Amino acid sequence: MSDDNKPFFVGYLPVPQALRGLLLAICVLLVSGFAGFGLALGVAQDDPGEGAFRFDYGRQTVTGVIELTPYPLLRVTQGNERIKPGHTLMLAGGGKNNVDSRAIPLEGQLAQASGVILERGDLDMMQLRGGRGGLDAAEGAAPQMEVDQLGRWKLAGEICDGKCLAGAMRPGRGLAHKACANLCLLGGVPPVFVSTRPVEGSQFLLITGPDGERLPEKAYDYVAQFISLEGDVERRGDLLVLRMDPDTLEVLK
């Protein structure tokens, strides 16, 4: 014989008094469970670092010599309070675009660059402002820039795009960022190798092909993975450039 007084939940009717406590407990458990899961998921992620667009610095304008590695660099000769002479800035455009069309005609010449800085530790990059105000020829003869050869190195680490790694995206590295990094690299944004072992005091190296050409297509399959490689390292100002040997690429476990 059925108990007609037994409480029964019907979604479109008021909750029976006898079931309200149980329903409240279930709601509290679900909310706290999802909150705990979200917190655990966040804590388990790698630290994205302190990289960011430094809009708080304001627009930076400096003068230097344009070099192509073939990625455009500015070897600063006349800096300001934040960017000192002798510093080397990697250059990029807005979004996932390079600044080749503006830098190539100025190769080896003095130029004035203006834009916003992206900064992560001792890695930085300038995103040039649009138009001729972003990069334009400066008066005067360009001084001779030294390039120091530091020999062949075997390194372990990760290939990233320099812009996201410097702070355009957080995190700007790892497999979750692989697709974005490859799009940036296809757009000509300077690539960076993040070494697990500092090279001459620096963890970040601009990376190119073995003869100083753009990153070989073969290397794109290894972007955002933990790899080892070999290559020749040179110093341009305070920036290290790694000319990788694509035949030495190896994914590490």
Side-chain angles (χ1 to χ4, degrees), residues 23 90 93 104 106 108 131 147 156 182 203-204 211 223:
L23 185 60
M90 297 185 291
I104 290 174
L106 298 174
V147 177
N182 276 342
Q203 184 185 5
F204 306 106
D211 297 317
V223 169

Side-chain angles (χ1 to χ4, degrees), residues 6 26 61 72 75 91 103 128 147 150 186 236 251 253:
K6 184 177 181 180
I26 291 174
T61 300
R75 301 278 293 269
L91 303 178
L128 297 178
V147 177
L150 303 179
L186 288 170
R236 294 175 179 252
V251 176
K253 301 297 183 182

Side-chain angles (χ1 to χ4, degrees), residues 63-75 77 91 100 102-112 135-145 236:
T63 300
V65 180
I66 294 292
E67 288 187 351
L68 300 177
T69 58
Y71 303 97
L73 305 176
L74 185 77
R75 301 278 293 269
T77 57
L91 303 178
D100 292 356
R102 287 187 278 174
I104 290 174
L106 298 174
E107 182 180 9
Q109 301 179 37
L110 271 183
Q112 185 179 73
L135 187 65
D136 200 7
E139 293 184 356
Q144 186 71 31
M145 293 287 111
R236 294 175 179 252

Side-chain angles (χ1 to χ4, degrees), residues 4-251:
D4 294 337
N5 296 322
K6 184 177 181 180
F8 187 78
F9 176 76
V10 179
Y12 55 85
L13 295 178
V15 179
Q17 182 68 35
L19 293 180
R20 289 181 182 177
L22 176 63
L23 185 60
L24 179 61
I26 291 174
C27 291
V28 170
L29 285 174
L30 281 176
V31 171
S32 58
F34 280 120
F37 177 73
L39 179 62
L41 195 62
V43 170
Q45 301 304 305
D46 294 335
D47 185 354
E50 300 297 326
F53 275 102
R54 299 312 304 259
F55 294 109
D56 54 320
Y57 290 173
R59 181 181 295 163
Q60 301 293 305
T61 300
V62 294
T63 300
V65 180
I66 294 292
E67 288 187 351
L68 300 177
T69 58
Y71 303 97
L73 305 176
L74 185 77
R75 301 278 293 269
V76 178
T77 57
Q78 184 177 346
N80 56 33
E81 291 184 355
R82 293 193 179 277
I83 305 173
K84 303 301 181 184
H87 186 44
T88 302
L89 280 171
M90 297 185 291
L91 303 178
K96 300 179 181 298
N97 300 308
N98 60 55
V99 292
D100 292 356
S101 61
R102 287 187 278 174
I104 290 174
L106 298 174
E107 182 180 9
Q109 301 179 37
L110 271 183
Q112 185 179 73
S114 181
V116 62
I117 295 294
L118 299 96
E119 183 180 68
R120 175 174 179 159
D122 59 358
L123 173 71
D124 60 13
M125 173 181 284
M126 176 179 281
Q127 176 179 290
L128 297 178
R129 55 187 287 208
R132 293 176 60 85
L135 187 65
D136 200 7
E139 293 184 356
Q144 186 71 31
M145 293 287 111
E146 300 292 333
V147 177
D148 298 325
Q149 302 298 327
L150 303 179
R152 188 174 179 89
W153 291 67
K154 182 174 183 179
L155 302 171
E158 179 182 340
I159 299 173
C160 305
D161 75 278
K163 188 173 183 180
C164 290
L165 181 66
M169 297 288 282
R170 298 183 67 188
R173 58 183 302 187
L175 284 176
H177 188 69
K178 181 179 178 64
C180 180
N182 276 342
L183 286 174
C184 284
L185 298 180
L186 288 170
V189 171
V192 170
F193 185 76
V194 184
S195 175
T196 56
R197 179 171 57 124
V199 179
E200 298 290 324
S202 180
Q203 184 185 5
F204 306 106
L205 302 90
L206 175 66
I207 182 171
T208 73
D211 297 317
E213 72 275 30
R214 288 186 182 274
L215 196 67
E217 290 186 6
K218 178 180 180 180
Y220 282 64
D221 294 333
Y222 295 83
V223 169
Q225 299 187 69
F226 184 45
I227 61 171
S228 67
L229 52 71
E230 295 183 27
D232 297 318
V233 177
E234 62 186 30
R235 184 191 301 279
R236 294 175 179 252
D238 59 356
L239 178 69
L240 298 183
V241 179
L242 170 62
R243 296 189 176 198
M244 62 161 289
D245 180 350
D247 293 333
T248 64
L249 280 167
E250 182 180 357
V251 176

